[in-house]
Amino acid sequence: MTDITLDNVTKRFEDVTAVDSLDLEIDDGEFLVLVGPSGCGKSTTLRMLAGLESVTEGDVLASGEAITDLEPKNRNVAMVFQNYALYPHMSAKRNMTFGMKSAGEYTDEEIEDRVAEAAAILDIEDLLERKPKALSGGERQRVAIGRALVRDPDYLLMDEPLSNLDAKLRIQMRAELSELHDELETTTIYVTHDQTEAMTLGDRVAVMNAGELQQVARPQELYDYPANRFVAEFIGSPAMNTLPVDVREDGDGYVAIGDGVDVRLPETDGLADLEGDRLLLGVRPEDLHADAATADTSIQATVSVTEPLGDTTLIHGEVAGTFAKFKVGARSSLRQGDVVEFGADLDRLHLFDDETGATLYHSDRSLETAEQPLSQ
Ligand code: ATP
């Protein structure tokens, strides 16, 4: 039973601050995903948790005990890497158990039992005598996960473990990892740059950018109530549209007005304070509907490219010079240059500060609303 705390953790490599004052608490048994673009500090954070990288400032705690300066071998941690890191000359079983005997912590019988248990969970019982070159990518990754499981770690670290697999296998392994975690409930910290993987796997998702934590929340919370423009655009595919607007009072309430944009804003706290500021209206492609403009909601777009996706058509377009994406029905007849009036779901709107990117408004919830704790 292990919870993990990162307390104001900073990692500097000479003049690069890879991780900047990171505060994060991972509950016992939680599956936390660290996600962000390349170079945002995810792997460095994981390596500090493993003890493979020193911490410049701050503390790492496991169940309340500082482990900041402990060697990896003195932390009961296991790590699964993107490249599997299996010894090519050893069988799958030997890869899984290598070093356990010499560590003297386990008897031969215990090791056998643990291998049998992990192999059954991962469905690799028939592969144990094979060497890595006789295994597929997915099977190799199962063996690498098996090696982590036999050690019964207090916490499990995974660094992009599915990136080397093809798309179909990745989706299958993603589901298997979820199932495995439900079964074992080992505290897990999982790094990926893939927002879909983050959303589907994480109990909570921590979004990082340029060494800084942007937001940590449950997947749906991140999607529905991003804390800033970065999170809004990073989580979700295609990304949320952000269109330049001003907020004005028109006698009936507030409207967001910009070139090609005229949208009535449901009133939640703080809207009056935004009058006159340079803002971005955030609206997701699926919350915009072609030919559904009304007096209350109208976004005028010109089509640049149409991408038929089978079940829908993705439209790349422009709203008065600002790039935007829309989804319309399958077999759409829209063509380049067509002008479309979109209506927006009024309870799915956001406003961001144009300069800082901070979220200033959600149309269906006050910014003050606190997220429920994970345990509820
Ligand atoms: P990726 O998804 O590409 O692996 P990441 O989010 O995991 O990226 P990190 O590998 O943690 O990012 O790197 C964060 C920053 O720290 C980057 O700017 C990187 O160049 C820098 N960095 C990482 N390791 C070192 C090192 N050993 N020496 C100097 N700079 C480093």
Side-chain angles (χ1 to χ4, degrees):
M1 305 292 272
T2 307
D3 57 74
I4 303 287
T5 305
L6 289 152
D7 182 10
N8 206 14
V9 168
T10 293
K11 175 67 187 182
R12 277 188 285 275
F13 295 104
E14 294 171 0
D15 55 346
V16 177
T17 303
V19 177
D20 195 358
S21 313
L22 178 61
D23 283 316
L24 202 53
E25 288 185 19
I26 301 120
D27 287 350
D28 176 39
E30 183 176 3
F31 198 122
L32 181 104
V33 178
L34 277 177
V35 69
S38 185
C40 73
K42 319 179 282 293
S43 295
T44 304
T45 303
L46 209 67
R47 290 171 60 77
M48 288 191 286
L49 287 167
L52 296 170
E53 203 72 78
S54 64
V55 173
T56 312
E57 275 164 36
D59 271 312
V60 181
L61 299 101
S63 296
E65 300 282 325
I67 56 166
T68 322
D69 300 318
L70 282 189
E71 294 286 318
K73 65 175 169 21
N74 296 328
R75 310 176 180 208
N76 189 14
V77 58
M79 190 152 169
V80 178
F81 299 90
Q82 175 178 348
N83 61 6
Y84 322 129
L86 299 176
Y87 295 109
H89 59 287
M90 291 182 192
S91 68
K93 180 173 172 183
R94 182 110 171 82
N95 262 291
M96 285 166 70
T97 59
F98 184 69
M100 284 177 85
K101 208 166 165 181
S102 55
E105 280 177 53
Y106 306 98
T107 64
D108 285 352
E109 201 183 345
E110 276 169 337
I111 293 174
E112 286 298 324
D113 286 350
R114 280 164 177 264
V115 170
E117 198 184 345
I121 291 171
L122 292 159
D123 201 15
I124 52 171
E125 290 125 309
D126 297 340
L127 309 176
L128 290 175
E129 298 312 321
R130 288 200 209 163
K131 291 195 176 150
K133 69 172 183 320
L135 299 170
S136 71
E139 289 165 347
R140 279 180 212 169
Q141 193 53 290
R142 279 202 188 98
V143 172
I145 294 168
R147 179 178 50 192
L149 296 187
V150 289
R151 283 159 175 78
D152 192 16
D154 290 338
Y155 58 107
L156 181 58
L157 306 175
M158 298 195 171
D159 195 353
E160 307 247 9
L162 308 184
S163 324
N164 282 3
L165 306 177
D166 66 42
K168 194 170 162 211
L169 195 54
R170 212 155 55 217
I171 293 168
Q172 184 191 329
M173 285 291 285
R174 204 162 75 194
E176 286 182 17
L177 278 182
S178 262
E179 226 173 282
L180 192 66
H181 182 258
D182 287 349
E183 197 171 325
L184 301 176
E185 294 187 334
T186 308
T187 308
T188 302
I189 300 142
Y190 183 105
V191 158
T192 180
H193 63 271
D194 178 339
Q195 58 92 28
T196 310
E197 216 167 278
M199 294 287 284
T200 51
L201 278 172
D203 291 322
R204 285 186 308 158
V205 177
V207 183
M208 292 182 73
N209 186 33
E212 292 182 9
L213 180 66
Q214 305 293 307
Q215 186 173 7
V216 54
R218 281 183 268 206
Q220 199 63 46
E221 173 80 12
L222 270 189
Y223 191 82
D224 290 341
Y225 303 104
N228 57 39
R229 180 184 180 185
F230 179 84
V231 176
E233 292 184 329
F234 191 80
I235 299 292
S237 179
M240 186 185 284
N241 295 305
T242 46
L243 307 169
V245 292
D246 295 326
V247 169
R248 296 180 200 161
E249 226 280 339
D250 71 352
D252 287 332
Y254 292 91
V255 281
I257 303 282
D259 283 346
V261 181
D262 184 348
V263 176
R264 184 155 301 283
L265 298 169
E267 279 194 56
T268 59
D269 299 349
L271 199 49
D273 301 336
L274 303 181
E275 254 189 294
D277 291 354
R278 285 171 44 138
L279 303 167
L280 296 168
L281 177 72
V283 55
R284 293 200 179 275
E286 67 270 27
D287 299 326
L288 287 161
H289 307 286
D291 304 323
T294 66
D296 278 345
T297 162
S298 161
I299 294 177
Q300 197 178 82
T302 308
V303 176
S304 313
V305 175
T306 59
E307 283 182 353
L309 301 176
D311 57 342
T312 51
T313 306
L314 181 63
I315 307 284
H316 300 246
E318 278 186 10
V319 177
T322 301
F323 178 73
K325 286 186 180 176
F326 308 91
K327 279 181 177 171
V328 298
R331 294 169 282 279
S332 162
S333 58
L334 287 174
R335 294 285 168 269
Q336 187 184 19
D338 287 352
V339 175
V340 189
E341 294 263 354
F342 287 89
D345 290 337
L346 295 185
D347 57 353
R348 304 278 299 133
L349 304 172
H350 314 270
L351 289 170
F352 305 104
D353 187 306
D354 188 24
E355 230 164 274
T356 66
T359 301
L360 302 174
Y361 166 86
H362 300 301
S363 62
D364 71 338
R365 189 168 100 174
S366 156
L367 286 186
E368 309 301 320
T369 310
E371 192 189 350
Q372 297 290 309
L374 189 68
S375 50
Q376 293 196 0

